Amino acid sequence: DGGITQSPKYLFRKEGQNVTLSCEQNLNHDAMYWYRQDPGQGLRLIYYSQIVNDFQKGDIAEGYSVSREKKESFPLTVTSAQKNPTAFYLCASSTWTGDTDTQYFGPGTRLTVL
Amino acid sequence: GENVEQHPSTLSVQEGDSAVIKCTYSDSASNYFPWYKQELGKRPQLIIDIRSNVGEKKDQRIAVTLNKTAKHFSLHITETQPEDSAVYFCAATISADGLTFGKGTHLIIQP
């Protein structure tokens, strides 16, 4: 887990503003993921990427965008189109070897819209 | 897409007793089933996982069972201790696709 970092830990945004959450990993993992967690709820998949320069929408992609220009980095942009962005955002990565698909999570970013 | 149901939402057990959390999934193609433990304000931590070619896996006080025919899997914690108190999530996926999580079980260990 120590090989996945997210920044910032806390983020405050005004309505109508876009904001970008950082996720970096030094584990040499091929796959990276973004999840959203609301209070008292499970995690929901926003986007994922199995290889550089390629990514797929998850269950709740509307109002979010991502890029995967480097293997180590998978930033998430929360756009003004996201109607209810206040949540805990978790990034994860995995090796995707076929034998083990364990996803390791970063420490998370707590986003609050003011 | 995949749908994962998890029960119960809250489970209170006496210290030293066993705890069982159950999950069902909908997509028969799912082949990887991890369990995560999450403490308040922290990231989820993997505690055990199982693949679809295995029926049971054990790691000390924790075990997971999988019934592919019925499409359900369960987490068993024996000899519960105060530090086991947390929220537990089951999940399912196909290989490197994103995980589909259950809504979580708040496990409370009573002294």
Side-chain angles (χ1 to χ4, degrees):
Chain A
D1 288 355
I4 304 174
T5 58
Q6 291 184 243
S7 61
K9 186 174 181 179
Y10 298 97
L11 187 57
F12 299 90
R13 189 195 91 176
K14 292 182 180 179
E15 281 192 28
Q17 288 182 338
N18 291 357
V19 64
T20 297
L21 281 59
S22 169
C23 178
E24 304 276 336
Q25 55 97 3
N26 62 4
L27 301 169
N28 199 33
H29 285 174
D30 291 303
M32 296 186 74
Y33 310 82
W34 275 105
Y35 296 91
R36 168 185 172 138
Q37 187 174 31
D38 293 285
Q41 300 294 317
L43 286 72
R44 291 183 290 167
L45 181 67
I46 305 173
Y47 268 99
Y48 65 104
S49 168
Q50 296 173 342
I51 195 169
V52 174
N53 292 323
D54 188 38
F55 47 83
Q56 287 77 41
K57 291 182 179 180
D59 300 318
I60 55 166
E62 185 176 351
Y64 300 97
S65 66
V66 293
S67 63
R68 187 84 187 278
E69 297 177 0
K70 298 187 300 181
K71 188 175 184 179
E72 303 80 17
S73 178
F74 191 40
L76 173 74
T77 297
V78 185
T79 74
S80 56
Q82 169 49 234
K83 291 184 171 60
N84 186 19
T86 295
F88 188 39
Y89 290 87
L90 288 153
C91 177
S93 68
S94 73
T95 56
W96 189 30
T97 64
D99 292 326
T100 174
D101 302 316
T102 302
Q103 291 188 22
Y104 297 95
F105 284 86
T109 293
R110 200 167 296 277
L111 173 63
T112 302
V113 174
L114 304 173
Chain B
E2 177 63 276
N3 182 51
V4 175
E5 300 281 345
Q6 182 172 348
H7 300 280
S9 57
T10 303
L11 178 59
S12 181
V13 301
Q14 292 291 323
E15 182 178 348
D17 288 350
S18 295
V20 180
I21 302 170
K22 299 181 180 182
C23 289
T24 60
Y25 61 99
S26 61
D27 190 343
S28 57
S30 288
N31 59 4
Y32 177 64
F33 307 91
W35 285 88
Y36 286 86
K37 175 183 180 182
Q38 187 179 32
E39 297 177 348
L40 190 63
K42 302 289 183 63
R43 76 187 83 185
Q45 300 270 9
L46 180 78
I47 55 171
I48 196 166
D49 56 10
I50 191 167
R51 298 194 65 86
S52 57
N53 57 352
V54 175
E56 184 174 358
K57 184 176 178 181
K58 189 174 182 180
D59 183 4
Q60 298 183 333
R61 297 187 296 110
I62 296 173
V64 57
T65 58
L66 172 65
N67 183 326
K68 286 190 298 181
T69 303
K71 288 189 283 188
H72 68 70
F73 55 113
S74 300
L75 177 71
H76 304 253
I77 305 175
T78 59
E79 300 173 9
T80 52
Q81 301 170 3
E83 53 265 35
D84 294 330
S85 293
V87 179
Y88 291 80
F89 293 98
C90 63
T93 189
I94 303 170
S95 294
D97 289 356
L99 292 167
T100 299
F101 283 84
K103 292 190 184 300
T105 296
H106 186 193
L107 177 61
I108 301 166
I109 308 300
Q110 302 277 7

